[in-house]
Amino acid sequence: MVLDDLGHKPRGVRLDSGDLAYFSVQVERTFRSCGRRFGRAFFADLDIVASNDINEEVLHSLNKQGHQITVFGIGTNLVTCQAQPALGCVYKL
């Protein structure tokens, strides 16, 4: 909320591990609750970005489960062949 007070536009959150469908629903509920509680309209416009070796099967599974994800980050499976190995690494600070 401080970013909003300073004139910066909050963009959203990124989920990159765990149960993406479940977490996205919980995050959306939290956004709505915070928007109502603090009277901040920007909470309704925040994106929920999901990544984590997302491929076609994962997309189908997420759709079956129900989710609130607004943006998908698809990297490794977009630029590599599924039949050939790819090293998926993330360096977290």
Side-chain angles (χ1 to χ4, degrees):
M1 288 188 290
V2 171
L3 289 174
D4 186 47
D5 291 339
L6 295 173
H8 298 282
K9 183 179 184 328
R11 304 293 295 176
V13 297
R14 176 181 173 208
L15 306 174
D16 70 352
S17 61
D19 187 337
L20 300 176
Y22 173 78
F23 289 146
S24 70
V25 170
Q26 295 302 316
V27 167
E28 177 65 23
R29 285 182 186 159
T30 301
F31 284 166
R32 280 185 281 157
S33 174
C34 288
R36 284 190 304 270
R37 181 175 179 190
F38 299 107
R40 302 288 181 123
F42 73 84
F43 277 104
D45 298 326
L46 295 177
D47 283 321
I48 300 173
V49 180
S51 62
N52 185 19
D53 291 329
I54 293 176
N55 59 28
E56 188 175 357
E57 290 178 24
V58 173
L59 291 173
H60 286 300
S61 175
L62 288 168
N63 286 333
K64 286 180 184 176
Q65 295 175 64
H67 64 82
Q68 295 295 320
I69 299 166
T70 56
V71 178
F72 292 96
I74 301 174
T76 303
N77 290 298
L78 182 65
V79 297
T80 60
C81 174
Q82 289 292 317
Q84 296 184 4
L87 178 61
C89 295
V90 175
Y91 182 77
K92 296 184 179 184
L93 297 175

